[in-house]
Amino acid sequence: MSVLAGLVDAVLDFLSTAIVWTTTRLISRGQQDQHHYPVGRRRLEPVGVLVFSIIMITSFVQVGLESIQRLASPQHDILQLSLPAIVIMLSTIVTKGGCWVWCRMVKNSSVRALAEDAKTDVIFNIGTILFPIVGFYGRIWWLDAAGGLVLSLVVILTWSKTSAHHVRNLTGFSAQPDERNLLLYLTMRFATAIRQIQNLRAYHAGDKLFVEVDIVLSAVTPLKDSHDLSEVLTYFLESVPIVDRAFVHVDYSSYNAPTHMLKQSSS
């Protein structure tokens, strides 16, 4: 069953590549179609990873169930791996290990998904080799099925964590404290004309952040100056790598109504 788990993982490699290629193409087209997608389609990256995560979890739930059925079966056949199969798996471990090291350095959802998949491949191929070999020479019939179950659980837990991370980001999860502090510091030091930062919201809209800043200027500041300052501050915040879009609201008083209306869904 550990070999079956490795086979399923290998097949899903092609699917992960297809998803990354498709989302990259759609994102590129979205940048050219400003009418239908005014701010692009960058959120397709985490959506693609989320879809792949669900497929991975579903597939390995089935592998886990097959492993349980094998453990409960009265047939106690022992699997023996051939030398060519072992050589192929060892070469896969080396190749995927290199891919994992390289991909994990790229700050991109799709590439990170490939890195996670490469790490899974390394774990799987090591387990796919060890469990059958130890089971064969130790005459432990249940070790292969138990190995398949363990490997399936590892994949299910890993990709469940990945999918939860992207669901959280796609649903507007708050920025990390250090990210928010960085944005707050940059805004405070941007211009001496900013008398106060009334509020700063930073939340995920995909991989990157949306930032909303409420600043207070002097009531006698000319409209031209307040406009120019807020516009340049917007561009400045959007130049930060972790920020996707920034919105700056200018006020002359520390006490005012909330920037946005709070809408509640009807029950």
Side-chain angles (χ1 to χ4, degrees), residues 12-267:
L12 290 176
D13 281 345
F14 294 100
L15 179 61
S16 65
T17 304
I19 290 176
V20 170
W21 181 82
T22 302
T23 54
T24 302
R25 292 269 300 184
L26 291 175
I27 290 170
S28 177
R29 290 181 181 178
Q31 292 175 348
Q32 301 170 2
D33 187 1
Q34 295 295 316
H35 177 69
H36 291 95
Y37 301 96
V39 296
R41 306 174 76 177
R42 286 187 296 271
R43 290 186 221 179
L44 274 177
E45 284 184 355
V47 170
V49 175
L50 183 59
V51 170
F52 181 65
S53 300
I54 294 172
I55 295 173
M56 287 286 286
I57 293 170
T58 304
S59 300
F60 281 97
V61 165
Q62 185 61 39
V63 173
L65 292 175
E66 292 289 337
S67 299
I68 294 174
Q69 291 178 0
R70 174 74 182 276
L71 289 171
S73 173
Q75 296 181 354
H76 298 164
D77 298 332
I78 298 178
L79 177 67
Q80 181 181 8
L81 290 179
S82 62
L83 181 60
I86 295 175
V87 172
I88 292 173
M89 291 177 186
L90 288 175
S91 63
T92 303
I93 291 173
V94 175
T95 303
K96 288 293 185 176
C99 292
W100 173 55
V101 172
W102 178 75
C103 290
R104 68 196 297 262
M105 296 185 295
V106 180
K107 306 299 182 182
N108 177 285
S109 285
S110 299
V111 178
R112 284 179 177 176
L114 291 177
E116 195 67 36
D117 187 49
K119 183 180 75 172
T120 302
D121 286 343
V122 172
I123 296 172
F124 256 83
N125 282 278
I126 292 175
T128 302
I129 293 174
L130 289 180
F131 285 119
I133 290 178
V134 174
F136 177 76
Y137 287 102
R139 313 306 297 175
I140 307 173
W141 66 268
W142 51 264
L143 189 59
D144 178 52
L149 180 59
V150 170
L151 293 174
S152 299
L153 290 175
V154 169
V155 172
I156 291 170
L157 292 175
T158 300
W159 284 97
S160 294
K161 181 179 178 181
T162 300
S163 62
H165 169 76
H166 287 290
V167 168
R168 184 185 66 178
N169 286 352
L170 286 169
T171 52
F173 189 73
S174 176
Q176 297 298 320
D178 57 338
E179 295 173 334
R180 188 179 183 279
N181 291 339
L182 171 64
L183 297 170
L184 185 61
Y185 174 78
L186 293 175
T187 305
M188 289 175 58
R189 298 295 300 270
F190 181 74
T192 56
I194 299 177
R195 303 177 63 182
Q196 182 182 347
I197 299 176
Q198 190 179 43
N199 196 6
L200 187 148
R201 300 182 186 89
Y203 52 90
H204 281 275
D207 288 338
K208 295 188 177 183
L209 300 173
F210 274 23
V211 181
E212 299 178 8
V213 184
D214 299 334
I215 60 175
V216 178
L217 304 180
S218 172
V220 297
T221 303
L223 174 61
K224 178 180 181 299
D225 293 342
S226 61
H227 166 269
D228 291 345
L229 188 150
S230 61
E231 185 177 49
V232 177
L233 177 57
T234 300
Y235 295 152
F236 176 65
L237 291 175
E238 289 182 348
S239 69
V240 179
I242 60 175
V243 176
D244 188 5
R245 295 180 68 82
F247 306 91
V248 178
H249 170 253
V250 180
D251 208 325
Y252 59 87
S253 173
S254 301
Y255 303 97
N256 65 333
T259 306
H260 300 283
M261 294 180 61
L262 298 178
K263 297 182 179 180
Q264 297 181 350
S265 58
S266 58
S267 57

